[in-house]
PDB file of all heavy atoms in Angstrom:
ATOM      1  N   ALA R 201     248.285 197.095 215.629  1.00 91.00           N
ATOM      2  CA  ALA R 201     248.489 195.714 216.084  1.00 91.00           C
ATOM      3  C   ALA R 201     249.782 195.643 216.913  1.00 91.00           C
ATOM      4  O   ALA R 201     250.738 196.414 216.646  1.00 91.00           O
ATOM      5  CB  ALA R 201     248.634 194.782 214.884  1.00 91.00           C
ATOM      6  N   LEU R 202     249.784 194.819 217.896  1.00 92.00           N
ATOM      7  CA  LEU R 202     250.940 194.651 218.768  1.00 92.00           C
ATOM      8  C   LEU R 202     251.223 193.189 219.021  1.00 92.00           C
ATOM      9  O   LEU R 202     250.295 192.440 219.319  1.00 92.00           O
ATOM     10  CB  LEU R 202     250.711 195.379 220.145  1.00 92.00           C
ATOM     11  CG  LEU R 202     251.774 195.198 221.166  1.00 92.00           C
ATOM     12  CD1 LEU R 202     253.052 195.971 220.782  1.00 92.00           C
ATOM     13  CD2 LEU R 202     251.258 195.689 222.542  1.00 92.00           C
ATOM     14  N   MET R 203     252.481 192.789 218.872  1.00 91.00           N
ATOM     15  CA  MET R 203     252.908 191.459 219.279  1.00 91.00           C
ATOM     16  C   MET R 203     254.011 191.567 220.285  1.00 91.00           C
ATOM     17  O   MET R 203     254.975 192.329 220.068  1.00 91.00           O
ATOM     18  CB  MET R 203     253.385 190.679 218.033  1.00 91.00           C
ATOM     19  CG  MET R 203     253.790 189.242 218.380  1.00 91.00           C
ATOM     20  SD  MET R 203     254.514 188.370 216.978  1.00 91.00           S
ATOM     21  CE  MET R 203     256.046 189.282 216.758  1.00 91.00           C
ATOM     22  N   VAL R 204     253.925 190.832 221.371  1.00 91.00           N
ATOM     23  CA  VAL R 204     254.903 190.835 222.408  1.00 91.00           C
ATOM     24  C   VAL R 204     255.368 189.434 222.699  1.00 91.00           C
ATOM     25  O   VAL R 204     254.549 188.561 223.042  1.00 91.00           O
ATOM     26  CB  VAL R 204     254.353 191.492 223.728  1.00 91.00           C
ATOM     27  CG1 VAL R 204     255.345 191.381 224.859  1.00 91.00           C
ATOM     28  CG2 VAL R 204     253.938 192.952 223.466  1.00 91.00           C
ATOM     29  N   ASP R 205     256.657 189.202 222.518  1.00 88.00           N
ATOM     30  CA  ASP R 205     257.284 187.920 222.875  1.00 88.00           C
ATOM     31  C   ASP R 205     256.595 186.669 222.287  1.00 88.00           C
ATOM     32  O   ASP R 205     256.555 185.613 222.895  1.00 88.00           O
ATOM     33  CB  ASP R 205     257.343 187.756 224.413  1.00 88.00           C
ATOM     34  CG  ASP R 205     258.255 188.778 225.064  1.00 88.00           C
ATOM     35  OD1 ASP R 205     259.139 189.268 224.366  1.00 88.00           O
ATOM     36  OD2 ASP R 205     258.038 189.109 226.235  1.00 88.00           O
ATOM     37  N   GLN R 206     256.048 186.840 221.116  1.00 83.00           N
ATOM     38  CA  GLN R 206     255.485 185.721 220.334  1.00 83.00           C
ATOM     39  C   GLN R 206     254.324 185.027 221.024  1.00 83.00           C
ATOM     40  O   GLN R 206     253.889 183.960 220.610  1.00 83.00           O
ATOM     41  CB  GLN R 206     256.565 184.674 220.087  1.00 83.00           C
ATOM     42  CG  GLN R 206     257.784 185.160 219.302  1.00 83.00           C
ATOM     43  CD  GLN R 206     257.527 185.227 217.781  1.00 83.00           C
ATOM     44  OE1 GLN R 206     256.504 185.728 217.406  1.00 83.00           O
ATOM     45  NE2 GLN R 206     258.446 184.751 217.020  1.00 83.00           N
ATOM     46  N   ARG R 207     253.786 185.651 222.123  1.00 84.00           N
ATOM     47  CA  ARG R 207     252.666 184.969 222.813  1.00 84.00           C
ATOM     48  C   ARG R 207     251.545 185.924 223.172  1.00 84.00           C
ATOM     49  O   ARG R 207     250.515 185.489 223.617  1.00 84.00           O
ATOM     50  CB  ARG R 207     253.195 184.268 224.053  1.00 84.00           C
ATOM     51  CG  ARG R 207     253.809 185.178 225.106  1.00 84.00           C
ATOM     52  CD  ARG R 207     254.203 184.408 226.328  1.00 84.00           C
ATOM     53  NE  ARG R 207     254.696 185.263 227.414  1.00 84.00           N
ATOM     54  CZ  ARG R 207     255.969 185.621 227.580  1.00 84.00           C
ATOM     55  NH1 ARG R 207     256.869 185.158 226.741  1.00 84.00           N
ATOM     56  NH2 ARG R 207     256.312 186.411 228.594  1.00 84.00           N
ATOM     57  N   THR R 208     251.769 187.213 223.048  1.00 89.00           N
ATOM     58  CA  THR R 208     250.736 188.196 223.397  1.00 89.00           C
ATOM     59  C   THR R 208     250.464 189.049 222.144  1.00 89.00           C
ATOM     60  O   THR R 208     251.354 189.557 221.513  1.00 89.00           O
ATOM     61  CB  THR R 208     251.205 189.106 224.546  1.00 89.00           C
ATOM     62  OG1 THR R 208     251.383 188.294 225.721  1.00 89.00           O
ATOM     63  CG2 THR R 208     250.138 190.178 224.818  1.00 89.00           C
ATOM     64  N   VAL R 209     249.174 189.193 221.817  1.00 91.00           N
ATOM     65  CA  VAL R 209     248.752 189.935 220.633  1.00 91.00           C
ATOM     66  C   VAL R 209     247.617 190.851 220.965  1.00 91.00           C
ATOM     67  O   VAL R 209     246.673 190.472 221.669  1.00 91.00           O
ATOM     68  CB  VAL R 209     248.381 188.983 219.509  1.00 91.00           C
ATOM     69  CG1 VAL R 209     247.749 189.768 218.336  1.00 91.00           C
ATOM     70  CG2 VAL R 209     249.568 188.187 219.004  1.00 91.00           C
TER      71      VAL R 209
END
Side-chain angles (χ1 to χ4, degrees):
L202 174 70
M203 180 186 69
V204 175
D205 294 335
Q206 301 280 45
R207 63 177 184 269
T208 298
V209 171

